[in-house]
């Protein structure tokens, strides 16, 4: 249990080991990139949704109003072939004071998906999330997600799909200025550099990443870690832990960091490749919040193998009108 209170598990939000003997966690295993199908990433995503909904009479999709879950809903409707599709959304208010329900209704109308039944879950209808031997739940709203699952079960939903994993898997990595310049041109690279200037190490990080290509793999990986994860360069376990547990947790954390750096060095990853890898791994699947099977088409072997085959520079869409859209280019393409 003490390892949960040690960085990077605490701030990286993952469970380092199973808390119980005989119980295995549900990590997403590394997959080998596969050649993209003729229809590209979109075809791979459609195949993933098809696999998850095969034999299901009623398809549920948890929709937040964001792009990730919207792509899942669009493809669920395309493969439904007359089957019922139900969208579930929690009635929340965003930072701008807008209702998520209003956003979802607008999206359904704009995409001609009015035939989709919309189930709105009130924040007052909280349901206790089921206990799981896999460890503490890491979803932000477990009681509301459990309420969604309970309503889905009442309506006979066979599988509840989501957009989980999209950001981590398809997000544009840092340190990709050089790769984008080579693939899309100098103007695209300049736009990318401006977009990432306000995050992480910013433009200086991009400059350092360019120079890191001259370093040997071990030094390149160590320099990447120091710049990208400074708070984990010398991880310290929280003082909440008493001895000897604090020392043991700290020893584990430092060993984990050293192993991570070694992995990057042995794989010969560039800073951009290392950042893309660290954005996704480790990635644990969430246990179902109720009786209905839950899954994300972004996390199947079919889609993962295709997504990792995509050049990192192609995750960025320099032609799109806003920084947010440019960094969500592949999700928009779905």
């Amino acid at each position: 249990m003490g390892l949960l209170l040690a960085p990077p598990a605490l701030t990286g939000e993952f469970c380092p080991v199973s808390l119980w003997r005989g119980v295995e966690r549900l990590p997403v295993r590394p997959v080998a990139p596969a050649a993209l199908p003729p229809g590209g990433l979109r075809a791979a995503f459609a195949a993933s949704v098809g696999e998850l909904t095969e034999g299901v009479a009623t398809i549920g999709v948890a929709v937040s109003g964001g792009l990730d879950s919207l792509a899942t809903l669009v493809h669920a409707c395309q493969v439904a072939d007359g089957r019922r599709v139900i969208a579930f959304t929690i009635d929340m208010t965003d930072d701008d004071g807008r209702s998520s329900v209003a956003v979802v209704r607008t999206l359904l109308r704009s995409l001609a998906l009015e035939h989709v039944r919309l189930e709105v879950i009130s924040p007052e209808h909280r349901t206790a999330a089921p206990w799981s031997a896999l460890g503490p739940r890491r979803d932000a709203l477990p009681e509301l997600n459990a309420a969604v699952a309970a309503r889905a079960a009442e309506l006979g939903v066979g599988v509840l799909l989501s957009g989980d994993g999209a950001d981590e898997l398809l997000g544009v990595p840092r340190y990709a200025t050089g790769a984008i310049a080579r693939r899309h041109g100098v103007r695209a690279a300049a736009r990318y550099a401006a977009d990432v200037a306000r995050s992480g190490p910013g433009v200086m990080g991009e400059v350092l990443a360019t120079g890191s290509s001259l370093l040997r793999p071990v030094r390149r990986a160590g320099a990447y870690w120091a710049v990208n994860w400074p708070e984990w360069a010398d991880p310290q376990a929280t003082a909440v832990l008493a001895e000897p547990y604090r020392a043991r947790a700290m020893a584990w954390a430092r060993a984990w960091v050293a192993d991570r750096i070694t992995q990057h060095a042995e794989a010969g990853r560039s800073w951009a490749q290392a950042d893309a890898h660290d954005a996704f791994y480790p990635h644990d699947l969430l246990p179902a919040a109720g009786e209905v099977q839950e899954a994300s088409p972004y996390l199947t072997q079919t889609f993962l193998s295709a997504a990792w085959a995509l050049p990192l520079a192609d995750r960025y869409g320099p032609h799109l009108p806003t920084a947010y859209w440019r960094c969500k280019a592949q999700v928009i393409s779905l």
Side-chain angles (χ1 to χ4, degrees):
M1 290 287 289
L3 299 185
L4 292 174
L5 300 176
L10 180 62
T11 49
E13 298 181 353
F14 68 92
C15 190
V17 293
S18 176
L19 301 180
W20 312 99
R21 293 177 182 175
V23 176
E24 294 186 6
R25 294 184 300 113
L26 299 175
V28 176
R29 306 291 184 185
V31 299
L36 288 170
L41 206 60
R42 184 178 175 85
F45 194 71
S48 181
V49 174
E51 291 173 6
L52 295 175
T53 58
E54 185 176 1
V56 173
T58 300
I59 304 169
V61 183
V63 181
S64 65
L67 294 171
D68 305 336
S69 56
L70 178 63
T72 299
L73 177 63
V74 168
H75 281 265
C77 291
Q78 291 176 350
V79 304
D81 193 24
R83 293 176 291 175
R84 186 168 61 154
V85 178
I86 305 176
F88 296 84
T89 191
I90 300 170
D91 189 4
M92 303 291 285
T93 301
D94 65 18
D95 293 339
D96 297 324
R98 298 178 302 174
S99 165
S100 58
V101 177
V103 172
V104 171
R105 291 191 189 281
T106 299
L107 291 171
L108 294 180
R109 185 171 57 253
S110 300
L111 295 173
L113 298 177
E114 292 97 333
H115 61 284
V116 173
R117 175 172 175 174
L118 179 61
E119 282 289 318
V120 178
I121 306 300
S122 169
E124 298 177 356
H125 294 163
R126 297 175 181 269
T127 301
W131 181 88
S132 172
L134 296 174
R137 296 193 64 87
R138 294 169 292 103
D139 43 342
L141 303 168
E143 292 178 334
L144 290 178
N145 291 336
V148 171
R151 183 58 179 152
E154 291 175 358
L155 295 174
V157 169
V159 64
L160 183 61
L161 303 180
S162 70
D164 289 351
D167 278 335
E168 297 88 344
L169 180 64
L170 296 177
V172 178
R174 299 164 177 165
Y175 318 120
T177 300
I180 290 172
R182 290 189 293 272
R183 191 158 183 88
H184 300 296
V186 174
R187 182 172 296 180
R191 173 166 276 192
Y192 164 82
D195 286 343
V196 301
R198 295 181 294 274
S199 67
V203 174
M204 181 54 67
E206 299 298 311
V207 173
L208 293 173
T210 301
S212 73
S213 61
L214 303 175
L215 300 175
R216 292 186 294 111
V218 173
R219 290 192 175 277
R220 181 168 66 240
Y224 153 78
W225 196 269
V227 172
N228 204 53
W229 305 108
E231 69 278 18
W232 293 353
D234 182 26
Q236 301 290 322
T238 174
V240 169
L241 287 174
E243 296 296 353
Y245 307 109
R246 186 168 188 267
R248 292 176 184 173
M250 198 178 306
W252 169 83
R254 291 174 177 176
W256 188 91
V257 167
D259 181 64
R260 199 76 168 184
I261 294 173
T262 298
Q263 288 180 27
H264 289 322
E266 291 178 346
R269 296 186 181 114
S270 67
W271 282 23
Q273 291 168 336
D275 188 56
H277 183 276
D278 287 345
F280 188 76
Y281 294 110
H283 194 105
D284 288 352
L285 297 174
L286 288 172
E291 299 175 1
V292 177
Q293 176 189 352
E294 298 179 21
S296 169
Y298 294 96
L299 299 177
T300 66
Q301 296 291 301
T302 295
F303 189 71
L304 285 170
S305 60
W308 284 116
L310 189 75
L312 292 182
D314 284 355
R315 294 187 185 185
Y316 185 69
H319 58 287
L320 294 171
T322 69
Y324 178 71
W325 281 21
R326 289 191 287 272
C327 291
K328 298 282 289 187
Q330 285 304 325
V331 175
I332 291 175
S333 75
L334 298 179

